[in-house]
Amino acid sequence: MTAHNSPDCPPDRTAGHSTGRSTSRSTDRASDWRIPVIGGVPADRRLLGTVPELVEAVIAALLERVPTYRRLPREQVSGELTRVTERRIRALAQAVRTGLPAPDEEFTAVREAAARRAEEGLPLDAVLLAHHLGMEVCWELVTRDALDSDAADLLVLNRLLLDQLRQATAAAGAGYFEERRTLADERHAARHALLTALLDGTPAEEAATRAGVRLPAAYAVLCLAVADHPDEQAPGVDRAVAGHRKLRRLRTELDHRTRQSALSTLSSSGGLVLVPLDHRPDAVPAAEWHRLADTVDRTARAAGVAVLAGASAAGPAGVAVAAGLAYEVLEVAQAFGRPPGLHRLDDVLVEYQLTRPSHARSRLAALLEPLEDGGELLATLRTHLAGGLNRRHTAGALHLHPNTVDYRLRRIAALTGLDPARPADLLRITAAIAARDAERASAATCRP
């Protein structure tokens, strides 16, 4: 804001003082720029004449009102911060004297200082508050002897200081976020290198050091299959955008649940997650697996989709093998229609074994061939087993009369020679169903 554009601009009371200059970087100031005079003293002279006092006051305000700055090393406060504060005050005095914005190099320095604060881990709100406090202290010192007749000059000075503050905070924010983005990229690259080393089965200690993490006793290896969100199938909706939004929600919840300690490579359809564990892979307590299952469930709810996970555990050197097993468990869970959630090898032992091709598998599957023509019989058998052999539960699930269930079970026994009511036949029936599903899944995979 220039004084000559303000109807309240006071008469020239600074004859002989610098009248400023024009630059091509901004709207040129007129040659009749008049320096605001407060309490009979040009504002720039008051700033320059009290630099040591101002610097001390600004630093004191920072330490008193911004707790983060109190935790900085003493040498940094008395060294770098003091020098930066003095530079900003002198640049402000120059702007007040000329009516022109500070030179580009001044705001470059502001960006660089903010970048250093970002690298040191200071929060952005503290960095921006520091600029506001500095301007506040300068304003209070310059205006403490203001007279009633200085109202117009105070208005001009206020507008100029606000303009300087706007440019400084914009530069600080840009420098801060640029550095944070660089740090995030470096952190992502280092963590990805660690994940790659673990999955390749190569020594990962050096990669862990570069990533700033300590290798845990073990990792829980989760192989995820993520279902489509309804938005991804909705007509007129950009499938890629909907998928990215789903993935962002999934990652956010996963980071929250694992305290950002997990390593992952994910897409909108699934991927791999390594969660650090404090226990040896052969001694992971059930409570830990329950916690991981809850993590998968909550992540799925946050993403708004079903998530099926195969899981295994291994020490850092065994992650590659564990990832292969987790993927196989996931495939088995998918092939056998397991519900969403976390599944381990112990949860699908029979199914897993039956997915390995063998003569026994095909012969087990053949035990149910007599039921192929009566689809309702096989569905009844599955429902009856899943319901704990409770005929009333089976009847309710299939909307049948219990007597109809009894009739179908007798038909199954007559056709196959396997009676669900006979404990000795239950294992063969369960294995036969699993073998049949495995045979069909294998045939579907091999089909061109």
Side-chain angles (χ1 to χ4, degrees):
M1 179 71 184
T2 60
H4 66 276
N5 287 332
S6 171
D8 299 322
C9 186
D12 187 357
R13 293 179 287 176
T14 58
H17 205 62
S18 173
T19 58
R21 53 186 171 85
S22 296
T23 73
S24 59
R25 294 182 299 102
S26 62
T27 302
D28 290 346
R29 298 291 188 183
S31 59
D32 62 346
W33 163 256
R34 292 185 288 274
I35 301 169
V37 176
I38 310 299
V41 180
D44 66 321
R45 290 183 179 176
R46 187 177 293 274
L47 286 168
L48 291 174
T50 57
V51 168
E53 178 185 351
L54 269 176
V55 170
E56 183 178 348
V58 170
I59 296 297
L62 281 179
L63 298 179
E64 178 185 355
R65 298 171 59 179
V66 189
T68 301
Y69 278 82
R70 291 201 292 269
R71 296 194 290 270
L72 295 179
R74 184 167 301 178
E75 57 84 16
Q76 183 178 7
V77 174
S78 61
E80 181 194 358
L81 287 186
T82 296
R83 291 192 301 272
V84 169
T85 301
E86 180 176 347
R87 175 171 179 163
R88 292 290 301 126
I89 293 171
R90 294 187 181 279
L92 179 62
Q94 174 72 2
V96 172
R97 185 179 68 83
T98 64
L100 295 167
D104 290 340
E105 56 266 24
E106 178 60 30
F107 292 112
T108 297
V110 171
R111 290 173 65 101
E112 292 172 348
R116 290 193 293 272
R117 301 295 84 80
E119 183 183 16
E120 294 159 358
L122 271 69
L124 178 60
D125 59 341
V127 175
L128 297 182
L129 180 56
H131 285 277
H132 282 262
L133 285 178
M135 199 65 73
E136 179 182 316
V137 170
C138 290
W139 169 262
E140 290 176 351
L141 183 139
V142 172
T143 62
R144 64 187 178 189
D145 296 324
L147 306 173
D148 291 342
S149 58
D150 294 335
D153 285 54
L154 287 170
L155 178 59
V156 172
L157 179 64
N158 178 263
R159 290 176 176 173
L160 187 145
L161 264 58
L162 286 177
D163 184 59
Q164 293 292 304
L165 179 61
R166 173 183 59 79
Q167 294 181 79
T169 53
Y176 187 95
F177 278 115
E178 183 177 346
E179 179 64 21
R180 291 294 293 180
R181 184 167 54 250
T182 299
L183 292 173
D185 289 345
E186 291 175 351
R187 179 176 182 269
H188 175 77
R191 289 170 66 87
H192 183 73
L194 172 58
L195 176 61
T196 300
L198 290 167
L199 293 176
D200 286 346
T202 58
E205 288 78 8
E206 184 178 344
T209 300
R210 288 198 300 270
V213 300
R214 178 180 297 176
L215 289 176
Y219 281 103
V221 184
L222 312 181
C223 190
L224 307 184
V226 180
D228 282 349
H229 190 276
D231 288 346
E232 293 178 86
Q233 305 294 339
V237 174
D238 188 314
R239 180 179 176 86
V241 172
H244 284 309
R245 288 176 59 82
K246 174 188 70 177
L247 180 58
R248 182 169 62 248
R249 294 192 298 270
L250 188 149
R251 281 176 169 162
T252 299
E253 185 66 19
L254 182 63
D255 285 344
H256 171 66
R257 292 288 162 188
T258 63
R259 299 180 182 179
Q260 298 187 336
S261 64
L263 302 173
S264 65
T265 173
L266 294 169
S267 70
S268 61
S269 60
L272 197 67
V273 180
L274 306 186
V275 182
L277 300 175
D278 294 330
H279 307 275
R280 298 193 320 273
D282 59 347
V284 180
E288 186 67 23
W289 286 116
H290 289 320
R291 184 184 69 81
L292 290 168
D294 184 62
T295 295
V296 171
D297 292 342
R298 290 178 180 271
T299 298
R301 286 201 294 272
V305 296
V307 176
L308 187 65
S312 183
V319 164
V321 175
L325 177 58
Y327 180 72
E328 290 177 344
V329 170
L330 174 63
E331 282 190 316
V332 170
Q334 289 175 315
F336 287 89
R338 285 303 183 102
L342 184 143
H343 300 275
R344 293 188 293 146
L345 180 60
D346 287 352
D347 301 321
V348 292
L349 280 175
V350 173
E351 295 90 337
Y352 180 87
Q353 186 59 40
L354 290 171
T355 58
R356 311 303 101 176
S358 68
H359 295 297
R361 188 179 79 177
S362 59
R363 296 186 67 173
L364 277 170
L367 293 176
L368 299 180
E369 285 183 358
L371 304 183
E372 292 294 339
D373 293 336
E376 74 281 356
L377 294 181
L378 189 56
T380 300
L381 182 58
R382 287 181 182 276
T383 305
H384 195 54
L385 292 176
L389 307 179
N390 185 313
R391 60 192 286 272
R392 292 190 179 277
H393 177 276
T394 303
L398 297 175
H399 306 291
L400 300 173
H401 191 280
N403 290 342
T404 302
V405 173
D406 290 338
Y407 168 76
R408 291 185 178 181
L409 293 177
R410 288 195 298 271
R411 285 283 298 157
I412 290 169
L415 291 170
T416 65
L418 300 172
D419 187 353
R422 191 163 52 233
D425 287 347
L426 280 178
L427 178 59
R428 289 172 67 84
I429 293 173
T430 302
I433 290 177
R436 179 181 180 278
D437 290 344
E439 290 275 295
R440 287 177 170 255
S442 178
T445 301
C446 296
R447 189 180 300 124

